[in-house]
């Protein structure tokens, strides 16, 4: 039996029977009555349940607590229904009113519109297309929800499915009758089905979803989808095979990561059999590794160094590791280094990775915030030095919610070069290609603040502050009054003895022992 937590995710709104943008009447009420009715359906249950919880007073018993937990679960469903409605309705209304809004902006600020249109032509993007409007609004909603655009994009898929395809499911969710996961499973397995088939699925599943577990709903929805799916089993297999991929993520603070291979089941079985057979050839009684550890090591060695008798991979990736030398000297047991594109790792692992490094580069950081403020330039031209500075200071794309690493981002002028912006560290930051297009062609604005942070303004007026990734301490960054922070006295930073090791790290000339003692 498949576990829904590990099901492959090929969700795509184009697989739902959505009517064309601009014709989705659910998002455009035709009368005051329908507006009032919609408001009551989606906001009324939230207000009532929140009020009941507020007025309930102290918990009296275990049964009382369980009833409140049940109410909270229903409240989650109502809130998710509200969120889905707002997402689906707003992006639809933006598309419908795009031409009128553009005409108003062209009348009030023609120069800005002309420049944005030139940028859109340069990036080969159509700002009026449904895809662009959707992506732009998802980025704005991510700011409001404090989530990544990828997470909000997934929310948008379910929002459109609930609002425009599975409306009965949306109503049940708003009423708190079914869980959020149950509603999402019904939408998920409505893909590739006709509207009349989805109506049958809702009719069969909604009564079950009001009492059954989420896993039961998942299994029933999947089987019902397979029965009604017009595609043959071979067609579905071919589509699934076309979605084979390798994904990875770094979610372990101890410096570990995960690679996931999605492929045909026979290929996966062959790989696992090969790993087990190879591990079985190791008869060393002194090897204390577990079976899982041995298989992981064989898998990594085969990809990096090759199987025995081969030359291994010719590709040796560049690893950029920031090791806080002074912090390491002050407290080596608690110091954390930073692996570019991954995040914090134990300083012991960083030193192990760095021991065979062909070269080193000094990076100067602010002793209070940890922000990178300069990079050694003795081996590089100024342009390369600026790239190195931004790579260490910003770490990844500086667009709200984006974490594309420095290697796939580019230097971008905050104040455009054509408008007098300088090429210096105060006016430069990292942006990936996609979000350069958002900034120059889709109405996003950015302002460099005196404290080193960046203030973004979304096309519809949301403000968000972005702090450089290398900053560790933000308590004195003045986000409200917009002026440079004052350092406290005395600074609460680790005290490091000015001994020979410290001088060597700082590249200061060696001094007599008497001078060190006096320092």
């Amino acid at each position: 039996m498949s576990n829904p937590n590990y099901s492959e995710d090929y969700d795509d709104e184009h697989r739902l029977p959505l009517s064309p943008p601009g014709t989705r009447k659910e998002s455009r009420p035709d009368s005051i009555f329908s507006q009032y009715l919609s408001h009551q359906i989606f906001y009324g249950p939230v207000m009532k349940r929140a009020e009941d919880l507020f007025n309930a007073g102290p918990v009296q018993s275990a049964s009382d607590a369980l009833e409140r937990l049940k109410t909270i679960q229903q409240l989650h469903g109502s809130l998710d229904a509200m969120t889905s409605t707002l997402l689906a309705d707003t992006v639809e209304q933006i598309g419908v009113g795009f031409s009128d809004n553009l005409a108003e902006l062209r009348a009030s600020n023609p120069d800005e519109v002309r420049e944005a249109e030139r940028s859109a032509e340069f990036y080969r993007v159509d700002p009026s297309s449904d895809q662009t409007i959707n992506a732009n609004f998802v980025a704005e909603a991510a700011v409001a929800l404090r989530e990544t655009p990828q997470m909000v994009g997934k929310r948008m898929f379910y929002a459109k499915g609930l609002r425009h395809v599975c409306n009965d499911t949306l109503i049940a969710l708003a009423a708190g009758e079914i869980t959020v996961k149950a509603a999402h499973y019904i939408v998920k397995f409505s893909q590739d089905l006709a509207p009349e088939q989805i109506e049958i699925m809702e009719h069969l599943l909604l009564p079950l979803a009001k009492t059954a577990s989420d896993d039961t709903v998942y299994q029933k929805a999947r089987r019902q989808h397979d029965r009604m799916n017009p595609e043959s089993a071979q067609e579905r297999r071919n589509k699934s095979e076309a979605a084979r991929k390798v994904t990875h993520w770094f979610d372990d603070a101890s410096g570990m990561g995960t690679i996931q291979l999605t492929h045909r089941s026979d290929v996966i079985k062959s790989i696992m059999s090969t790993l087990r057979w190879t591990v079985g050839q190791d008869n060393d009684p002194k090897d204390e590794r577990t079976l899982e550890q041995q298989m992981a090591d064989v898998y990594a060695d085969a990809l990096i160094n090759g199987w025995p008798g081969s030359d291994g991979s010719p590709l040796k990736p560049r690893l950029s590791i920031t090791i806080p030398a002074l912090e390491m000297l002050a407290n080596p047991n608690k110091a954390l280094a930073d692996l570019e594109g991954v995040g914090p790792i134990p300083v012991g692992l960083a030193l192990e990775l760095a021991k065979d490094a062909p070269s080193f580069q000094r990076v100067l950081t602010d002793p209070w915030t940890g922000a990178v403020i300069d990079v050694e330039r003795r081996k590089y031209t100024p342009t390369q030095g600026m790239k190195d500075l931004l790579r260490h200071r910003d770490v990844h794309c500086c667009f709200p919610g984006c974490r594309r690493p420095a290697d796939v981002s580019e230097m971008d002028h905050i104040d455009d070069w054509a408008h007098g912006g300088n090429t210096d560290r105060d006016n430069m930051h990292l942006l990936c290609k996609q979000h350069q297009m958002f900034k120059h062609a889709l109405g996003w604005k950015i302002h460099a603040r005196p404290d080193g942070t960046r203030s973004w303004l979304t096309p519809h007026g949301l403000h968000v502050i972005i702090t450089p990734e290398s900053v560790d301490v933000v308590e004195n960054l003045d986000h409200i009054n917009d002026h440079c922070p004052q350092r406290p006295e005395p600074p609460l930073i680790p005290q490091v003895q000015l001994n020979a090791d410290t001088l060597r790290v700082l590249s200061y000339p060696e001094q007599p022992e008497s001078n060190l003692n006096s320092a």
Side-chain angles (χ1 to χ4, degrees):
M1 181 177 290
S2 299
N3 187 326
N5 292 327
Y6 295 95
S7 62
E8 268 310 304
D9 188 2
Y10 309 129
D11 297 332
D12 184 350
E13 66 177 64
H14 296 97
R15 295 173 57 191
L16 294 170
L18 288 167
S19 55
T23 65
R24 300 164 185 166
K25 59 182 180 180
E26 298 88 359
S27 296
R28 300 170 61 192
D30 297 322
S31 68
I32 296 177
F33 172 76
S34 62
Q35 289 181 0
Y36 175 78
L37 181 63
S38 180
H39 185 84
Q40 293 300 312
I41 289 174
F42 296 113
Y43 287 83
V46 172
M47 182 181 69
K48 181 181 183 305
R49 291 195 173 95
E51 187 176 9
D52 289 345
L53 288 169
F54 180 79
N55 294 328
V59 175
Q60 301 297 323
S61 63
S63 59
D64 183 22
L66 290 171
E67 284 298 321
R68 295 192 195 193
L69 289 175
K70 184 178 178 180
T71 301
I72 290 172
Q73 182 273 321
Q74 294 170 337
L75 184 59
H76 277 297
S78 299
L79 287 170
D80 191 83
M82 283 174 52
T83 303
S84 297
T85 304
L86 286 170
L87 288 173
D89 288 359
T90 305
V91 75
E92 177 73 7
Q93 291 161 10
I94 291 173
V96 171
F98 182 85
S99 298
D100 294 338
N101 293 334
L102 182 61
E104 292 178 7
L105 185 59
R106 182 175 279 116
S108 61
N109 199 336
D111 293 338
E112 182 177 334
V113 172
R114 280 195 295 269
E115 186 169 343
E117 289 174 341
R118 285 194 296 267
S119 296
E121 185 177 355
F122 173 79
Y123 287 105
R124 298 180 181 179
V125 62
D126 178 9
S128 65
S129 72
D130 179 58
Q131 181 180 3
T132 303
I133 290 172
N134 191 81
N136 202 21
F137 179 70
V138 162
E140 286 195 86
V143 172
L145 295 170
R146 297 195 180 186
E147 296 180 355
T148 65
Q150 291 78 13
M151 294 173 66
V152 178
K154 196 165 191 175
R155 277 182 178 246
M156 184 65 80
F157 163 78
Y158 291 117
K160 291 182 178 180
L162 289 168
R163 186 61 162 156
H164 305 304
V165 178
C166 303
N167 203 252
D168 288 343
T169 303
L170 176 63
I171 299 302
L173 181 64
E177 297 174 343
I178 63 175
T179 68
V180 174
K181 280 190 175 181
H184 288 186
Y185 290 150
I186 293 174
V187 172
K188 180 183 184 70
F189 289 108
S190 294
Q191 294 177 102
D192 307 317
L193 300 182
E196 56 272 17
Q197 293 175 314
I198 296 173
E199 186 176 349
I200 294 173
M201 176 178 280
E202 286 190 291
H203 178 74
L204 294 174
L205 291 179
L206 283 177
L208 174 74
K210 293 178 181 180
T211 57
S213 68
D214 291 334
D215 184 68
T216 299
V217 175
Y218 172 85
Q219 301 299 340
K220 294 283 188 181
R222 189 186 67 168
R223 282 197 290 270
Q224 191 65 34
H225 173 271
D226 289 345
R227 291 193 191 101
M228 295 191 296
N229 193 343
E231 291 183 326
S232 67
Q234 184 60 43
E235 289 174 330
R236 294 200 298 272
R237 176 189 174 93
N238 293 340
K239 182 180 292 185
S240 296
E241 187 173 344
R244 60 191 181 276
K245 60 184 177 180
V246 175
T247 54
H248 71 281
W249 58 92
F250 305 101
D251 54 1
D252 193 315
S254 299
M256 304 294 284
T258 300
I259 291 178
Q260 178 175 300
L261 170 65
T262 302
H263 214 294
R264 295 198 323 265
S265 56
D266 60 302
V267 172
I268 298 298
K269 187 173 182 179
S270 297
I271 291 174
M272 296 303 297
S273 297
T274 302
L275 289 173
R276 291 193 184 95
W277 181 87
T278 305
V279 169
Q281 305 307 301
D282 182 12
N283 298 317
D284 184 359
K286 297 181 179 180
D287 193 341
E288 298 180 351
R289 293 176 297 172
T290 65
L291 175 63
E292 289 78 11
Q293 291 170 341
Q294 287 179 301
M295 291 175 64
D297 291 343
V298 169
Y299 186 79
D301 289 343
L303 290 176
I304 298 174
N305 301 317
W307 292 101
S310 69
D311 295 330
S313 172
L315 303 176
K316 300 299 181 183
R318 176 183 64 82
L319 295 179
S320 179
I321 306 169
T322 302
I323 301 176
L326 293 181
E327 183 180 345
M328 181 180 65
L329 290 174
N331 194 336
N333 294 326
K334 293 187 177 181
L336 288 175
D338 189 89
L339 178 60
E340 181 179 0
V342 176
I345 60 174
V347 74
L349 175 60
L351 293 175
E352 182 178 345
L353 294 173
K355 67 181 180 181
D356 297 323
S359 63
F360 290 90
Q361 184 179 49
R362 294 181 184 84
V363 178
L364 179 63
T365 61
D366 185 301
W368 174 253
T369 67
V372 174
I373 57 179
D374 203 2
V375 174
E376 176 186 40
R377 300 181 182 179
R378 290 180 297 177
K379 297 182 180 180
Y380 302 96
T381 63
T383 300
Q384 183 62 49
M386 179 65 70
K387 290 180 180 179
D388 291 334
L389 170 63
L390 296 184
R391 191 179 79 244
H392 288 287
R393 185 193 70 188
D394 296 342
V395 181
H396 52 70
C397 172
C398 293
F399 188 84
C402 182
R403 296 189 67 85
R404 288 189 178 93
D407 285 348
V408 293
S409 299
E410 299 178 358
M411 293 195 301
D412 178 76
H413 290 80
I414 294 174
D415 293 330
D416 290 345
W417 172 265
H419 296 161
N422 296 323
T423 305
D424 55 33
R425 68 187 185 191
D426 294 328
N427 193 49
M428 302 296 294
H429 65 160
L430 294 179
L431 276 187
C432 65
K433 273 288 188 183
Q434 178 188 9
H435 294 130
Q436 287 184 54
M437 179 267 290
F438 274 48
K439 172 176 175 279
H440 295 291
L442 299 185
W444 290 72
K445 301 182 187 304
I446 182 174
H447 168 65
R449 299 162 61 89
D451 61 8
T453 60
R454 307 287 186 255
S455 173
W456 283 88
L457 179 66
T458 76
H460 291 93
L462 281 182
H463 285 271
V464 61
I465 303 295
I466 298 299
T467 304
E469 185 70 16
S470 61
V471 172
D472 295 321
V473 179
V474 298
E475 61 184 277
N476 283 325
L477 295 181
D478 197 338
H479 292 169
I480 298 176
N481 298 314
D482 199 12
H483 62 72
C484 290
Q486 298 297 315
R487 298 290 189 264
E489 293 293 344
L492 301 177
I493 59 175
Q495 300 299 312
V496 180
Q497 183 180 359
L498 194 61
N499 53 26
D501 289 337
T502 307
L503 293 174
R504 186 172 64 255
V505 167
L506 296 175
S507 297
Y508 287 171
E510 294 186 7
Q511 298 184 21
E513 190 69 25
S514 58
N515 291 350
L516 291 179
N517 293 335
S518 62

